[in-house]
Amino acid sequence: MERIPILKMGDLLLVTIQVDMHDQLAMTLQEDLTERISRTGAHGVLIDISAVEVVDSFIGRMIANIAAMARILDAQTVLVGMQPAVAITLVELGLTLPGVRTALNVERGMALLQAEVRSSSPVVASEADGDAEG
Amino acid sequence: MERIPILKMGDLLLVTIQVDMHDQLAMTLQEDLTERISRTGAHGVLIDISAVEVVDSFIGRMIANIAAMARILDAQTVLVGMQPAVAITLVELGLTLPGVRTALNVERGMALLQAEVRSSSPVVASEADGDAEG
């Protein structure tokens, strides 16, 4: 059965989209990804679309859905590697990607997510301090 | 034109194989990857085949070729994510992957490559020491 692989790298999950998405594949990806976030406790999802030459409303909605699902499971989604022509088409078609941030490439996306995870972690650190004092 | 994306992550390049390889695609991947190693000075290449269900002699040779080319350009290749059934088939068919190391998943492959790069860098470090003394 055709599946899009999900690679775990530390606290992040990486998905590279290389093939034409269709309904069943998109559903499988959503199921696999949510299951994987839940199992690994990942805080970030990187979706690389550097091989994608056409982002239509179907793919746009799929990405927005994935981001929404991930957010509920406490993971941020960053879309990386968008080709310039795709960005042009998205704007011309008036397509938006609600709730999805973008970064130029995987490295910058990882940096963005890691900075977010770090900035949201002090709560845990101060709780630990409290325990040490108590 | 169909291409397999190559993702740069620090000192490493990551290639995820998701589609059926054919001659032209394999050639394009070899060209893209060698060009990318040369341009970025990457010291490691991770090839993820977790989505590949059949590794035949064609794919085996392609991977061995990529590893040989990368080695000449001073980059190590690690094959990651092999499905258990693929490992069984490789041994049963007597296929070997000369010059290619394997790791269970991307994380372990990255750790392996980073350990190698670190262990091969002391030469540079001692030269730097020499300069400081001189």
Side-chain angles (χ1 to χ4, degrees):
Chain A
M1 190 185 156
E2 203 183 11
R3 268 172 196 279
I4 294 181
I6 300 167
L7 307 180
K8 181 170 177 292
M9 293 189 302
D11 204 22
L12 310 177
L13 299 178
L14 172 67
V15 179
T16 314
I17 296 179
Q18 295 177 21
V19 292
D20 287 336
M21 297 300 293
H22 48 79
D23 279 16
Q24 186 53 50
L25 193 58
M27 292 280 286
T28 309
L29 177 59
Q30 288 174 358
E31 280 166 27
D32 287 353
L33 193 58
T34 47
E35 193 271 331
R36 197 72 178 272
I37 293 171
S38 151
R39 185 150 50 87
T40 62
H43 279 108
V45 176
L46 284 163
I47 303 178
D48 173 74
I49 56 165
S50 56
V52 176
E53 288 178 357
V54 180
V55 171
D56 54 14
S57 60
F58 173 71
I59 296 192
R61 198 167 55 244
M62 182 199 75
I63 291 170
N65 284 350
I66 284 178
M69 293 169 192
R71 202 173 317 117
I72 298 173
L73 297 169
D74 191 24
Q76 304 291 319
T77 302
V78 175
L79 192 65
V80 301
M82 189 183 290
Q83 294 185 15
V86 171
I88 293 170
T89 314
L90 279 182
V91 172
E92 282 179 347
L93 291 179
L95 281 178
T96 55
L97 297 168
V100 181
R101 270 165 318 161
T102 53
L104 190 64
N105 54 39
V106 172
E107 282 186 315
R108 293 197 187 182
M110 286 174 86
L112 181 65
L113 284 171
Q114 276 158 357
E116 291 248 327
V117 171
R118 231 174 288 131
S119 72
S120 63
S121 56
V123 180
V124 179
S126 63
E127 277 175 12
D129 287 349
D131 284 348
E133 285 165 21
Chain B
M1 191 185 157
E2 203 183 13
R3 266 171 199 281
I4 294 182
I6 299 166
L7 308 179
K8 182 171 176 292
M9 295 189 301
D11 203 22
L12 310 177
L13 299 177
L14 172 67
V15 178
T16 314
I17 295 178
Q18 294 177 21
V19 292
D20 287 334
M21 297 300 293
H22 48 78
D23 279 16
Q24 185 55 49
L25 192 58
M27 291 280 286
T28 309
L29 177 60
Q30 288 173 358
E31 279 166 27
D32 287 354
L33 194 57
T34 46
E35 193 273 330
R36 198 71 178 273
I37 293 172
S38 151
R39 185 151 50 86
T40 62
H43 279 107
V45 176
L46 284 163
I47 303 178
D48 174 73
I49 55 165
S50 57
V52 176
E53 289 178 356
V54 179
V55 171
D56 53 15
S57 60
F58 174 71
I59 297 193
R61 198 166 55 244
M62 183 199 74
I63 292 170
N65 283 350
I66 285 178
M69 292 169 192
R71 202 173 317 117
I72 297 173
L73 297 169
D74 192 24
Q76 303 291 318
T77 302
V78 175
L79 191 66
V80 301
M82 189 183 289
Q83 294 185 16
V86 171
I88 292 170
T89 314
L90 279 182
V91 171
E92 282 179 348
L93 292 179
L95 281 178
T96 55
L97 297 168
V100 181
R101 269 163 321 159
T102 53
L104 191 63
N105 54 38
V106 172
E107 282 187 314
R108 294 198 187 181
M110 287 174 85
L112 181 64
L113 284 171
Q114 275 157 357
E116 292 247 328
V117 171
R118 231 174 288 131
S119 72
S120 64
S121 55
V123 180
V124 179
S126 62
E127 275 175 13
D129 286 349
D131 284 349
E133 284 164 24

